[in-house]
Amino acid sequence: MPVFGKSLFETVLDGLEPEEQEEEDAGPARRMTGLGATLLAGLSDGGEPDRGDFADLYSDYGEGLPVFPVDAPPQPPAWLDRLSKEEISQDLDLSSCKSDIDLRERRRSFARNNHPDVVHPDYRGPATIRMTIANRLIDDAISLIG
């Protein structure tokens, strides 16, 4: 539908032309803004950018995640030798769950301590086996209730 004798697309293009012209006029002296300007600000003297400003940008994202020291030997989890279906079933105690909501909560609480993402990288293989078996047991229990 034409707007003032022009199509909507032509009207939008007319609105963009002045901005593009300003950018072309700025040439090499154009001022950078945004993250690129911040990163390059430390390079104006030919040195490295100051990384101290960026050190705490993502500090709030790491809340609650375990940090494993590189030099310290990993402490084996208590469940490391409990990888059979029967042992995991005992650890889950699914017989005390009466509804699918209880079972889903049991899955979440089990994952908080057993999920491969929360254990040391050396123990992620056994943790994956343990979570796989636990998820199958819980899924079977949910299908029996439902």
Side-chain angles (χ1 to χ4, degrees), residues 108-146:
R108 283 189 292 274
S109 65
F110 188 81
R112 282 186 204 109
N113 298 319
N114 297 275
H115 197 277
D117 290 345
V118 298
V119 299
H120 192 276
D122 292 348
Y123 303 116
R124 288 192 179 150
T128 302
I129 293 169
R130 193 162 161 84
M131 279 304 301
T132 302
I133 293 171
N135 282 328
R136 286 183 189 157
L137 290 170
I138 293 170
D139 289 342
D140 290 345
I142 288 173
S143 66
L144 291 175
I145 289 176

Side-chain angles (χ1 to χ4, degrees), residues 4-144:
F4 301 112
K6 296 182 179 181
S7 70
L8 181 59
F9 182 72
E10 290 172 330
T11 306
V12 170
L13 285 179
D14 288 343
L16 292 177
E17 286 178 7
E19 291 176 19
E20 291 173 2
Q21 189 175 14
E22 288 174 14
E23 288 179 15
E24 290 172 8
D25 292 341
R30 189 174 98 209
R31 181 170 179 211
M32 287 185 67
T33 59
L35 183 59
T38 307
L39 290 173
L40 293 175
L43 297 177
S44 60
D45 61 352
E48 288 287 318
D50 180 21
R51 300 200 193 285
D53 295 339
F54 302 109
D56 60 345
L57 284 177
Y58 299 105
S59 62
D60 57 336
Y61 289 112
E63 293 282 325
L65 294 177
V67 177
F68 301 106
V70 177
D71 297 334
Q75 184 85 13
W79 49 257
L80 187 61
D81 60 340
R82 298 184 56 83
L83 297 177
S84 72
K85 185 176 179 179
E86 292 78 22
E87 292 168 330
I88 295 170
S89 180
Q90 289 172 356
D91 293 345
L92 284 169
D93 188 28
L94 297 180
S95 61
S96 66
C97 296
K98 302 297 181 207
S99 68
D100 63 335
I101 295 171
D102 294 336
L103 290 166
R104 292 174 201 279
E105 179 55 38
R106 186 65 49 97
R107 182 191 321 254
R108 283 189 292 274
S109 65
F110 188 81
R112 282 186 204 109
N113 298 319
N114 297 275
H115 197 277
D117 290 345
V118 298
V119 299
H120 192 276
D122 292 348
Y123 303 116
R124 288 192 179 150
T128 302
I129 293 169
R130 193 162 161 84
M131 279 304 301
T132 302
I133 293 171
N135 282 328
R136 286 183 189 157
L137 290 170
I138 293 170
D139 289 342
D140 290 345
I142 288 173
S143 66
L144 291 175

